[in-house]
Every structure is written in structure tokens, then in C-alpha cells.
């Protein structure tokens, strides 16, 4: 069955960096578009970034230039490198993919202190 397991969250100071990982299993990872979303307290879940099987990427305006999404198909893992973190980046970060149905990971908390 499809599984997405995020890791790498934690507490970081403003201006710092963090790398999130999402380990995938149960499907042909290399050809699937993978996405990161986030949900801050009291707010709706929002798109952060995606990467296609071919490596094309796209980012939300709020993270463009600071976050980088990448993938390692040999490890079935997608990453989110987050630099120049701001307190408003505080959220639970989720990995997502679509295969005739939507699949979400359990999320990993990122807290950015000012």
C-alpha cells in the first residue's frame, strides 16, 4: 500500500535552515509528481512546492527563492530544503501524491522562533 513518511521537522531559529524528507513506498515513485503542503495553526492547508518525475519544479510565491524541492529516485525520497526560515513558515509540513486517489503523509512539525 502507498505510504508517505515525513521526517526532519523541529525547532529552528529565524534565518536558519532545515531539510525535510519524505520516504515513499508502495508505488512507482520515479514517475510520480510529489508535492509538499503545509498547515499553520488556524489556517487552511496550502501548497508549498512540487516536483515532477522529470524533475520540473514549482513553488508557492511565499517560499520561492528560499525553499528547494528535490528527489532521489534511488531512495524513493523527496526533500524540501528550507533556508532563510521565517516565523511565518511555522506549520505542519505534509508530503502528498496522487495515484487515482490522494495520499498524504502524517506530517512533520516545523517551528521557527523569532
Amino acid at each position: 500500500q502507498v505510504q508517505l513518511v515525513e521526517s526532519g521537522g523541529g525547532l529552528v531559529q529565524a534565518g536558519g535552515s532545515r531539510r525535510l524528507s519524505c520516504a515513499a513506498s508502495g508505488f512507482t515513485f520515479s514517475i510520480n509528481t510529489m508535492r509538499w503542503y503545509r498547515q499553520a495553526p488556524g489556517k487552511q492547508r496550502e501548497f508549498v512546492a512540487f516536483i515532477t518525475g522529470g524533475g520540473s519544479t514549482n513553488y508557492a510565491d511565499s517560499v520561492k527563492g528560499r525553499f528547494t524541492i528535490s528527489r532521489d529516485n534511488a531512495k524513493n525520497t523527496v526533500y524540501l530544503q528550507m533556508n532563510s526560515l521565517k516565523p511565518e513558515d511555522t506549520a505542519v509540513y505534509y508530503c502528498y501524491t496522487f495515484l487515482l486517489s490522494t495520499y498524504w503523509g502524517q506530517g512533520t512539525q516545523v517551528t521557527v522562533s523569532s
Side-chain angles (χ1 to χ4, degrees):
Q1 87 243 35
V2 174
Q3 280 196 314
L4 301 172
V5 180
E6 300 97 333
S7 61
L11 177 64
V12 60
Q13 287 191 330
S17 298
R18 200 83 182 179
R19 189 177 82 156
L20 306 182
S21 301
C22 171
S25 60
F27 63 100
T28 307
F29 176 82
S30 61
I31 63 173
N32 244 61
T33 295
M34 300 297 298
R35 292 175 166 84
W36 285 98
Y37 283 76
R38 67 185 182 186
Q39 187 165 19
K43 295 189 176 181
Q44 288 193 333
R45 196 168 295 190
E46 64 175 6
F47 166 77
V48 175
F50 77 69
I51 184 166
T52 68
S56 297
T57 59
N58 193 31
Y59 299 90
D61 287 343
S62 58
V63 307
K64 206 170 289 186
R66 300 187 298 122
F67 290 12
T68 302
I69 189 171
S70 63
R71 64 192 300 156
D72 184 336
N73 289 337
K75 296 182 178 180
N76 282 8
T77 301
V78 61
Y79 304 98
L80 186 68
Q81 177 67 44
M82 305 184 295
N83 299 328
S84 302
L85 282 161
K86 305 175 181 179
E88 51 264 43
D89 295 318
T90 295
V92 178
Y93 284 72
Y94 297 92
C95 186
Y96 165 97
T97 195
F98 179 82
L99 297 146
L100 302 180
S101 182
T102 58
Y103 294 93
W104 295 92
Q106 83 287 352
T108 186
Q109 174 72 48
V110 174
T111 302
V112 184
S113 63
S114 56

